[in-house]
Amino acid sequence: VRKGERTRGRIVERAAGVFNCNGYAGASVSAIMAATGLQKGGIYRHFGSKEQLAGEAYAWAAARMRERFAAALAERRHVGDRLHAIVDVFEGVVTDPPVEGGCPVLSAAAESDYGVSPVREQVRETMRELRELVRVVVAAGVGRGELRPETEPEDVATVVVAAAEGGILLSQLYEDSAYVRQVAAHLHDYIDARLVKRDAMGGTDDRNGNA
Amino acid sequence: VRKGERTRGRIVERAAGVFNCNGYAGASVSAIMAATGLQKGGIYRHFGSKEQLAGEAYAWAAARMRERFAAALAERRHVGDRLHAIVDVFEGVVTDPPVEGGCPVLSAAAESDYGVSPVREQVRETMRELRELVRVVVAAGVGRGELRPETEPEDVATVVVAAAEGGILLSQLYEDSAYVRQVAAHLHDYIDARLVKRDAMGGTDDRNGNA
Amino acid sequence: VRKGERTRGRIVERAAGVFNCNGYAGASVSAIMAATGLQKGGIYRHFGSKEQLAGEAYAWAAARMRERFAAALAERRHVGDRLHAIVDVFEGVVTDPPVEGGCPVLSAAAESDYGVSPVREQVRETMRELRELVRVVVAAGVGRGELRPETEPEDVATVVVAAAEGGILLSQLYEDSAYVRQVAAHLHDYIDARLVKRDAMGGTDDRNGNA
Amino acid sequence: VRKGERTRGRIVERAAGVFNCNGYAGASVSAIMAATGLQKGGIYRHFGSKEQLAGEAYAWAAARMRERFAAALAERRHVGDRLHAIVDVFEGVVTDPPVEGGCPVLSAAAESDYGVSPVREQVRETMRELRELVRVVVAAGVGRGELRPETEPEDVATVVVAAAEGGILLSQLYEDSAYVRQVAAHLHDYIDARLVKRDAMGGTDDRNGNA
DNA sequence: ACCGACGGGACCGCCCGTTGTT
DNA sequence: AACAACGGGCGGTCCCGTCGGT
């Protein structure tokens, strides 16, 4: 069963873009047929319903987001670098979207706000992960003395995620990355203000660690 | 021409809630029929299409938002008070939504992100007004010396609106107002940090001006 | 009740054009509202149903046709002149329609062919009158010795009416009066061939009786 | 791809009757559902719209007409025989309709007269073919000396087609084939009058060529 | 005498999902 | 494993007709 698995993966991938671009209610199976080049039968062989496909498509999109954060944190050790890297990932979502249609978490979360959404629980979990990601980094930073002791990890997590998603929302609405960049600049300052300056003289601005 | 106008107004009002709760694509005319207690004929006599109704419903919801900001700014003179009041309005949207389903700007903006939305231009205009509201207040504050001269009105406007909407998004997603409160607290600090302290000793924390 | 009667007449008149241009099924009450400048209530005050209005509108149109034939026959005494005049009326329907949309008999008859039409019986009656008109003239002509004795009034009536309506059909289909003119020319010959030549030398081509 | 084609053909065939009997505006998709035994989904899978189906249905009906003329002309060589055969086909349309509801050209042409019809261009083309059929036969007859040299093919074509369709109109209106028969008789005479009598004595009345 | 509001229903088109057919 | 045919049903739109108001 190898060809089937590849087809299934392709469906999930393409459907993720369709759902992300049109919303669950606005995405028709016909549109997914067109995006995949398959017919109804070819899709419903792999998924029992539109709802199930939406769930897997969202999961795929969320995984793409996770990969970006994982890659960004992979070689960063200092808390400041790691936090700045996280903000950079959010900023990058606008100019180089992991899924067609922009940030899948934002799209799905907004549609989940009103009424019931088949992926609501998944979105909550993803958003929880996002906040947890920041919270853990901040908590570790406080523990290691890299961040000021009064810094509240929960607060920082909420502020970073909320502001970043808000910035993405503005940029996607106007198709102009300037907004998310303004927000990112603010968040970078916000982070720096909470860093414990170890060496006031030998400090570096190179947050990307490039020599 | 009185009864008709009242019915029409009721349709707009109820439809605003339905659209805000389900999105444009997810809101069926049947649902609006149920919400208004009217039949198809009674609705389509006043509106030529679902799209037109959606436009008027969004405009109504946006007006509710504008009213809140207008009321909040009505009796505030100091720039600091005014900015804090704006943040308070955003926070209040979660606990006491102006329209059923939460912040209409957020809902409509998110649905406008992906694909085309019949209210996209309207949402862009509303969001522009929101940013402009903050920007003008900040610019006036800088001009009157109440805010630090290096403060950039454009940046502040973007940060405040983005963070606030992001906080609302989180709170609506989890049905927990704690998130927007955390964000609001951050924004209050953010604002205070840019205020020029006139009287370091006689300062007061009472942002509402209540004695 | 004078103003009401005038309004009623105007509705009938305008509706006749709408029905004639769109057929009974294709003519909506909305279209008649637009054509008359009245609202639903203003129309249904005078007519109980669309069907009744259609009936009166067709009757009005048929009366316009009758008027044309009456006027054409008014001052013609010779059978030949009268028959040629009848053909001329048919020909004139194309270039100067008595009702907007062309010959009402043709339109209504064609729609009456298939299925049931609310004006079917009326159309049959009108068509009967048309044939009767020709038949009576021909019969009189035979009786007075102006037409050859072997001429069958029934046959002539059918041929004249059928050919004329067929010609109108072609002309209306192509929006080109040439077709009905070709048919009319044939019918003129057809008539002349049945005339008893009284005075082979003193004959005149002036079928219109103009000096 | 066999079952689908057969179903599609059945839809076209049945729909042709429904359209011919009720007109385009009067034929509902529900009626076609009933006539075919299919549901909406089964019909709209093969045709994108009612208009497209109407186009194909009319084309099918027009093809049935063409077949009749082709069959009638197949074994006729003499111009007189061919012209008489054409008239016979028109006459036969009434007693044995090629499509339920009578002559499809007449029905469609009449509905095309008023307003716009989705099949207007097709009807014009069919009517053009009908006239062309007669015109070509007549022109050949003149060329071969079987018809009088002064015979105008264009005029004959118009007269034959117009009179025939007019006769069919009358017969369909009254559900009485007598009218088209009277017209046909006239057309036979009309044709004979233009034939060049080769052998005044050995002439035959057998227009069907049957010995 | 006429307008305007509204009801209920039918329209066409498209939806999602299932089932036979390769 | 994928396609193509088809079933029901809901989508938005527009229909005709009634009735209260003025």
mmCIF file of all heavy atoms in Angstrom, chain F residues 6-18:
data_model
loop_
_atom_site.group_PDB
_atom_site.id
_atom_site.type_symbol
_atom_site.label_atom_id
_atom_site.label_comp_id
_atom_site.label_asym_id
_atom_site.label_seq_id
_atom_site.Cartn_x
_atom_site.Cartn_y
_atom_site.Cartn_z
ATOM 1 P P DC F 6 -26.310 7.673 -14.485
ATOM 2 O OP1 DC F 6 -27.100 6.554 -15.018
ATOM 3 O OP2 DC F 6 -26.135 8.915 -15.268
ATOM 4 O "O5'" DC F 6 -26.874 8.053 -13.063
ATOM 5 C "C5'" DC F 6 -26.965 7.023 -12.068
ATOM 6 C "C4'" DC F 6 -27.078 7.611 -10.682
ATOM 7 O "O4'" DC F 6 -25.873 8.323 -10.333
ATOM 8 C "C3'" DC F 6 -28.185 8.644 -10.475
ATOM 9 O "O3'" DC F 6 -29.288 7.964 -9.890
ATOM 10 C "C2'" DC F 6 -27.571 9.680 -9.506
ATOM 11 C "C1'" DC F 6 -26.209 9.067 -9.183
ATOM 12 N N1 DC F 6 -25.129 10.066 -8.916
ATOM 13 C C2 DC F 6 -24.659 10.238 -7.616
ATOM 14 O O2 DC F 6 -25.146 9.553 -6.707
ATOM 15 N N3 DC F 6 -23.680 11.148 -7.374
ATOM 16 C C4 DC F 6 -23.175 11.865 -8.376
ATOM 17 N N4 DC F 6 -22.212 12.736 -8.088
ATOM 18 C C5 DC F 6 -23.629 11.705 -9.714
ATOM 19 C C6 DC F 6 -24.611 10.804 -9.944
ATOM 20 P P DG F 7 -30.601 8.757 -9.534
ATOM 21 O OP1 DG F 7 -31.723 7.871 -9.827
ATOM 22 O OP2 DG F 7 -30.533 10.093 -10.141
ATOM 23 O "O5'" DG F 7 -30.481 8.930 -7.956
ATOM 24 C "C5'" DG F 7 -30.072 7.832 -7.175
ATOM 25 C "C4'" DG F 7 -30.062 8.192 -5.703
ATOM 26 O "O4'" DG F 7 -28.900 9.003 -5.406
ATOM 27 C "C3'" DG F 7 -31.267 9.007 -5.233
ATOM 28 O "O3'" DG F 7 -31.613 8.565 -3.932
ATOM 29 C "C2'" DG F 7 -30.742 10.440 -5.233
ATOM 30 C "C1'" DG F 7 -29.286 10.247 -4.851
ATOM 31 N N9 DG F 7 -28.363 11.244 -5.407
ATOM 32 C C8 DG F 7 -28.297 11.656 -6.716
ATOM 33 N N7 DG F 7 -27.360 12.535 -6.947
ATOM 34 C C5 DG F 7 -26.764 12.714 -5.699
ATOM 35 C C6 DG F 7 -25.694 13.559 -5.323
ATOM 36 O O6 DG F 7 -25.033 14.316 -6.032
ATOM 37 N N1 DG F 7 -25.402 13.439 -3.960
ATOM 38 C C2 DG F 7 -26.076 12.625 -3.084
ATOM 39 N N2 DG F 7 -25.653 12.650 -1.826
ATOM 40 N N3 DG F 7 -27.082 11.828 -3.433
ATOM 41 C C4 DG F 7 -27.371 11.932 -4.746
ATOM 42 P P DG F 8 -33.093 8.291 -3.502
ATOM 43 O OP1 DG F 8 -33.102 7.003 -2.831
ATOM 44 O OP2 DG F 8 -33.947 8.544 -4.679
ATOM 45 O "O5'" DG F 8 -33.450 9.418 -2.429
ATOM 46 C "C5'" DG F 8 -33.164 10.749 -2.743
ATOM 47 C "C4'" DG F 8 -32.496 11.433 -1.560
ATOM 48 O "O4'" DG F 8 -31.247 11.960 -2.012
ATOM 49 C "C3'" DG F 8 -33.342 12.590 -1.058
ATOM 50 O "O3'" DG F 8 -33.237 12.664 0.352
ATOM 51 C "C2'" DG F 8 -32.705 13.788 -1.756
ATOM 52 C "C1'" DG F 8 -31.238 13.363 -1.866
ATOM 53 N N9 DG F 8 -30.582 13.939 -3.048
ATOM 54 C C8 DG F 8 -30.961 13.797 -4.366
ATOM 55 N N7 DG F 8 -30.182 14.438 -5.199
ATOM 56 C C5 DG F 8 -29.233 15.037 -4.385
ATOM 57 C C6 DG F 8 -28.140 15.862 -4.715
ATOM 58 O O6 DG F 8 -27.776 16.236 -5.826
ATOM 59 N N1 DG F 8 -27.437 16.252 -3.578
ATOM 60 C C2 DG F 8 -27.755 15.884 -2.286
ATOM 61 N N2 DG F 8 -26.980 16.350 -1.322
ATOM 62 N N3 DG F 8 -28.770 15.109 -1.968
ATOM 63 C C4 DG F 8 -29.465 14.724 -3.060
ATOM 64 P P DG F 9 -34.264 13.537 1.168
ATOM 65 O OP1 DG F 9 -34.527 12.870 2.464
ATOM 66 O OP2 DG F 9 -35.364 13.900 0.258
ATOM 67 O "O5'" DG F 9 -33.398 14.859 1.455
ATOM 68 C "C5'" DG F 9 -32.031 14.730 1.819
ATOM 69 C "C4'" DG F 9 -31.320 16.080 1.711
ATOM 70 O "O4'" DG F 9 -30.851 16.310 0.366
ATOM 71 C "C3'" DG F 9 -32.218 17.276 2.044
ATOM 72 O "O3'" DG F 9 -31.472 18.168 2.843
ATOM 73 C "C2'" DG F 9 -32.509 17.876 0.683
ATOM 74 C "C1'" DG F 9 -31.174 17.633 0.002
ATOM 75 N N9 DG F 9 -31.221 17.740 -1.452
ATOM 76 C C8 DG F 9 -32.169 17.209 -2.293
ATOM 77 N N7 DG F 9 -31.949 17.471 -3.550
ATOM 78 C C5 DG F 9 -30.791 18.232 -3.541
ATOM 79 C C6 DG F 9 -30.072 18.819 -4.609
ATOM 80 O O6 DG F 9 -30.332 18.770 -5.802
ATOM 81 N N1 DG F 9 -28.957 19.510 -4.145
ATOM 82 C C2 DG F 9 -28.591 19.631 -2.837
ATOM 83 N N2 DG F 9 -27.493 20.329 -2.584
ATOM 84 N N3 DG F 9 -29.248 19.087 -1.832
ATOM 85 C C4 DG F 9 -30.332 18.405 -2.252
ATOM 86 P P DC F 10 -32.263 19.111 3.840
ATOM 87 O OP1 DC F 10 -32.110 18.587 5.203
ATOM 88 O OP2 DC F 10 -33.601 19.370 3.262
ATOM 89 O "O5'" DC F 10 -31.428 20.461 3.738
ATOM 90 C "C5'" DC F 10 -30.013 20.442 3.889
ATOM 91 C "C4'" DC F 10 -29.393 21.543 3.042
ATOM 92 O "O4'" DC F 10 -29.610 21.259 1.643
ATOM 93 C "C3'" DC F 10 -30.009 22.928 3.296
ATOM 94 O "O3'" DC F 10 -28.952 23.837 3.557
ATOM 95 C "C2'" DC F 10 -30.725 23.267 1.999
ATOM 96 C "C1'" DC F 10 -29.938 22.450 0.971
ATOM 97 N N1 DC F 10 -30.719 22.101 -0.252
ATOM 98 C C2 DC F 10 -30.217 22.438 -1.516
ATOM 99 O O2 DC F 10 -29.133 23.031 -1.599
ATOM 100 N N3 DC F 10 -30.931 22.112 -2.620
ATOM 101 C C4 DC F 10 -32.100 21.480 -2.501
ATOM 102 N N4 DC F 10 -32.761 21.174 -3.615
ATOM 103 C C5 DC F 10 -32.621 21.129 -1.219
ATOM 104 C C6 DC F 10 -31.904 21.457 -0.136
ATOM 105 P P DG F 11 -29.240 25.270 4.057
ATOM 106 O OP1 DG F 11 -28.345 25.458 5.186
ATOM 107 O OP2 DG F 11 -30.695 25.526 4.155
ATOM 108 O "O5'" DG F 11 -28.698 26.148 2.845
ATOM 109 C "C5'" DG F 11 -27.358 25.929 2.403
ATOM 110 C "C4'" DG F 11 -27.096 26.707 1.119
ATOM 111 O "O4'" DG F 11 -27.491 25.915 -0.017
ATOM 112 C "C3'" DG F 11 -27.887 28.000 1.000
ATOM 113 O "O3'" DG F 11 -27.120 29.066 1.535
ATOM 114 C "C2'" DG F 11 -28.004 28.169 -0.511
ATOM 115 C "C1'" DG F 11 -28.077 26.725 -1.009
ATOM 116 N N9 DG F 11 -29.427 26.238 -1.209
ATOM 117 C C8 DG F 11 -30.257 25.713 -0.240
ATOM 118 N N7 DG F 11 -31.415 25.348 -0.703
ATOM 119 C C5 DG F 11 -31.346 25.654 -2.043
ATOM 120 C C6 DG F 11 -32.304 25.491 -3.066
ATOM 121 O O6 DG F 11 -33.441 25.017 -2.984
ATOM 122 N N1 DG F 11 -31.829 25.947 -4.291
ATOM 123 C C2 DG F 11 -30.592 26.487 -4.501
ATOM 124 N N2 DG F 11 -30.319 26.866 -5.748
ATOM 125 N N3 DG F 11 -29.694 26.644 -3.574
ATOM 126 C C4 DG F 11 -30.134 26.209 -2.364
ATOM 127 P P DG F 12 -27.896 30.374 1.892
ATOM 128 O OP1 DG F 12 -26.972 31.253 2.609
ATOM 129 O OP2 DG F 12 -29.215 30.060 2.489
ATOM 130 O "O5'" DG F 12 -28.152 30.988 0.449
ATOM 131 C "C5'" DG F 12 -27.036 31.440 -0.317
ATOM 132 C "C4'" DG F 12 -27.507 31.918 -1.681
ATOM 133 O "O4'" DG F 12 -28.427 30.970 -2.243
ATOM 134 C "C3'" DG F 12 -28.265 33.253 -1.644
ATOM 135 O "O3'" DG F 12 -27.960 33.992 -2.826
ATOM 136 C "C2'" DG F 12 -29.723 32.815 -1.643
ATOM 137 C "C1'" DG F 12 -29.685 31.569 -2.491
ATOM 138 N N9 DG F 12 -30.736 30.597 -2.137
ATOM 139 C C8 DG F 12 -31.015 30.115 -0.892
ATOM 140 N N7 DG F 12 -32.008 29.270 -0.867
ATOM 141 C C5 DG F 12 -32.416 29.187 -2.181
ATOM 142 C C6 DG F 12 -33.449 28.418 -2.771
ATOM 143 O O6 DG F 12 -34.241 27.650 -2.226
ATOM 144 N N1 DG F 12 -33.529 28.641 -4.152
ATOM 145 C C2 DG F 12 -32.704 29.477 -4.861
ATOM 146 N N2 DG F 12 -32.923 29.553 -6.171
ATOM 147 N N3 DG F 12 -31.724 30.182 -4.316
ATOM 148 C C4 DG F 12 -31.642 29.999 -2.980
ATOM 149 P P DT F 13 -28.507 35.468 -3.012
ATOM 150 O OP1 DT F 13 -27.464 36.193 -3.722
ATOM 151 O OP2 DT F 13 -29.000 35.960 -1.717
ATOM 152 O "O5'" DT F 13 -29.746 35.301 -4.001
ATOM 153 C "C5'" DT F 13 -29.563 34.737 -5.296
ATOM 154 C "C4'" DT F 13 -30.905 34.521 -5.962
ATOM 155 O "O4'" DT F 13 -31.665 33.527 -5.246
ATOM 156 C "C3'" DT F 13 -31.803 35.762 -6.013
ATOM 157 O "O3'" DT F 13 -31.971 36.100 -7.377
ATOM 158 C "C2'" DT F 13 -33.112 35.334 -5.341
ATOM 159 C "C1'" DT F 13 -33.037 33.816 -5.423
ATOM 160 N N1 DT F 13 -33.766 33.069 -4.364
ATOM 161 C C2 DT F 13 -34.766 32.184 -4.712
ATOM 162 O O2 DT F 13 -35.103 31.990 -5.861
ATOM 163 N N3 DT F 13 -35.348 31.535 -3.673
ATOM 164 C C4 DT F 13 -35.055 31.671 -2.328
ATOM 165 O O4 DT F 13 -35.657 31.030 -1.479
ATOM 166 C C5 DT F 13 -34.012 32.606 -2.028
ATOM 167 C C7 DT F 13 -33.602 32.833 -0.617
ATOM 168 C C6 DT F 13 -33.421 33.252 -3.049
ATOM 169 P P DC F 14 -32.643 37.428 -7.847
ATOM 170 O OP1 DC F 14 -32.051 37.763 -9.147
ATOM 171 O OP2 DC F 14 -32.597 38.375 -6.716
ATOM 172 O "O5'" DC F 14 -34.167 37.017 -8.091
ATOM 173 C "C5'" DC F 14 -34.429 35.978 -9.022
ATOM 174 C "C4'" DC F 14 -35.882 35.562 -8.906
ATOM 175 O "O4'" DC F 14 -36.098 34.819 -7.688
ATOM 176 C "C3'" DC F 14 -36.867 36.740 -8.864
ATOM 177 O "O3'" DC F 14 -37.797 36.553 -9.917
ATOM 178 C "C2'" DC F 14 -37.507 36.636 -7.490
ATOM 179 C "C1'" DC F 14 -37.375 35.130 -7.194
ATOM 180 N N1 DC F 14 -37.425 34.799 -5.738
ATOM 181 C C2 DC F 14 -38.212 33.742 -5.309
ATOM 182 O O2 DC F 14 -38.844 33.089 -6.135
ATOM 183 N N3 DC F 14 -38.260 33.448 -3.987
ATOM 184 C C4 DC F 14 -37.553 34.172 -3.111
ATOM 185 N N4 DC F 14 -37.630 33.834 -1.823
ATOM 186 C C5 DC F 14 -36.738 35.260 -3.543
ATOM 187 C C6 DC F 14 -36.702 35.539 -4.851
ATOM 188 P P DC F 15 -38.864 37.629 -10.294
ATOM 189 O OP1 DC F 15 -38.571 38.054 -11.663
ATOM 190 O OP2 DC F 15 -38.984 38.625 -9.198
ATOM 191 O "O5'" DC F 15 -40.184 36.751 -10.304
ATOM 192 C "C5'" DC F 15 -40.099 35.383 -10.686
ATOM 193 C "C4'" DC F 15 -41.180 34.568 -10.002
ATOM 194 O "O4'" DC F 15 -40.744 34.225 -8.666
ATOM 195 C "C3'" DC F 15 -42.479 35.301 -9.792
ATOM 196 O "O3'" DC F 15 -43.294 35.145 -10.929
ATOM 197 C "C2'" DC F 15 -43.092 34.594 -8.592
ATOM 198 C "C1'" DC F 15 -41.887 34.065 -7.838
ATOM 199 N N1 DC F 15 -41.580 34.752 -6.553
ATOM 200 C C2 DC F 15 -42.162 34.292 -5.375
ATOM 201 O O2 DC F 15 -42.937 33.333 -5.423
ATOM 202 N N3 DC F 15 -41.857 34.917 -4.223
ATOM 203 C C4 DC F 15 -41.015 35.952 -4.218
ATOM 204 N N4 DC F 15 -40.745 36.528 -3.053
ATOM 205 C C5 DC F 15 -40.431 36.441 -5.411
ATOM 206 C C6 DC F 15 -40.739 35.826 -6.564
ATOM 207 P P DC F 16 -44.395 36.189 -11.237
ATOM 208 O OP1 DC F 16 -44.750 36.002 -12.664
ATOM 209 O OP2 DC F 16 -43.945 37.494 -10.742
ATOM 210 O "O5'" DC F 16 -45.610 35.699 -10.325
ATOM 211 C "C5'" DC F 16 -46.122 34.378 -10.478
ATOM 212 C "C4'" DC F 16 -47.105 34.095 -9.355
ATOM 213 O "O4'" DC F 16 -46.442 34.267 -8.080
ATOM 214 C "C3'" DC F 16 -48.330 35.005 -9.327
ATOM 215 O "O3'" DC F 16 -49.470 34.216 -9.041
ATOM 216 C "C2'" DC F 16 -48.017 35.992 -8.201
ATOM 217 C "C1'" DC F 16 -47.178 35.133 -7.250
ATOM 218 N N1 DC F 16 -46.194 35.882 -6.431
ATOM 219 C C2 DC F 16 -46.176 35.727 -5.041
ATOM 220 O O2 DC F 16 -46.987 34.973 -4.513
ATOM 221 N N3 DC F 16 -45.259 36.431 -4.312
ATOM 222 C C4 DC F 16 -44.391 37.237 -4.922
ATOM 223 N N4 DC F 16 -43.516 37.897 -4.180
ATOM 224 C C5 DC F 16 -44.397 37.401 -6.334
ATOM 225 C C6 DC F 16 -45.306 36.721 -7.052
ATOM 226 P P DG F 17 -50.922 34.832 -9.229
ATOM 227 O OP1 DG F 17 -51.814 33.744 -9.651
ATOM 228 O OP2 DG F 17 -50.842 36.065 -10.027
ATOM 229 O "O5'" DG F 17 -51.299 35.219 -7.729
ATOM 230 C "C5'" DG F 17 -51.282 34.172 -6.752
ATOM 231 C "C4'" DG F 17 -51.445 34.741 -5.362
ATOM 232 O "O4'" DG F 17 -50.238 35.415 -4.948
ATOM 233 C "C3'" DG F 17 -52.576 35.753 -5.178
ATOM 234 O "O3'" DG F 17 -53.345 35.347 -4.067
ATOM 235 C "C2'" DG F 17 -51.860 37.068 -4.917
ATOM 236 C "C1'" DG F 17 -50.589 36.580 -4.230
ATOM 237 N N9 DG F 17 -49.459 37.500 -4.320
ATOM 238 C C8 DG F 17 -48.967 38.112 -5.451
ATOM 239 N N7 DG F 17 -47.940 38.886 -5.222
ATOM 240 C C5 DG F 17 -47.739 38.785 -3.845
ATOM 241 C C6 DG F 17 -46.767 39.396 -3.014
ATOM 242 O O6 DG F 17 -45.864 40.179 -3.343
ATOM 243 N N1 DG F 17 -46.917 39.019 -1.679
ATOM 244 C C2 DG F 17 -47.881 38.151 -1.217
ATOM 245 N N2 DG F 17 -47.872 37.898 0.087
ATOM 246 N N3 DG F 17 -48.796 37.571 -1.985
ATOM 247 C C4 DG F 17 -48.664 37.928 -3.279
ATOM 248 P P DT F 18 -54.742 36.048 -3.738
ATOM 249 O OP1 DT F 18 -55.711 34.954 -3.642
ATOM 250 O OP2 DT F 18 -54.973 37.184 -4.642
ATOM 251 O "O5'" DT F 18 -54.505 36.603 -2.264
ATOM 252 C "C5'" DT F 18 -53.879 35.752 -1.300
ATOM 253 C "C4'" DT F 18 -53.519 36.554 -0.068
ATOM 254 O "O4'" DT F 18 -52.351 37.363 -0.321
ATOM 255 C "C3'" DT F 18 -54.607 37.513 0.416
ATOM 256 O "O3'" DT F 18 -54.743 37.328 1.807
ATOM 257 C "C2'" DT F 18 -54.064 38.887 0.060
ATOM 258 C "C1'" DT F 18 -52.560 38.662 0.188
ATOM 259 N N1 DT F 18 -51.687 39.577 -0.606
ATOM 260 C C2 DT F 18 -50.660 40.238 0.016
ATOM 261 O O2 DT F 18 -50.422 40.127 1.201
ATOM 262 N N3 DT F 18 -49.909 41.042 -0.807
ATOM 263 C C4 DT F 18 -50.086 41.247 -2.168
ATOM 264 O O4 DT F 18 -49.355 41.990 -2.803
ATOM 265 C C5 DT F 18 -51.183 40.522 -2.754
ATOM 266 C C7 DT F 18 -51.465 40.669 -4.213
ATOM 267 C C6 DT F 18 -51.924 39.733 -1.959
#
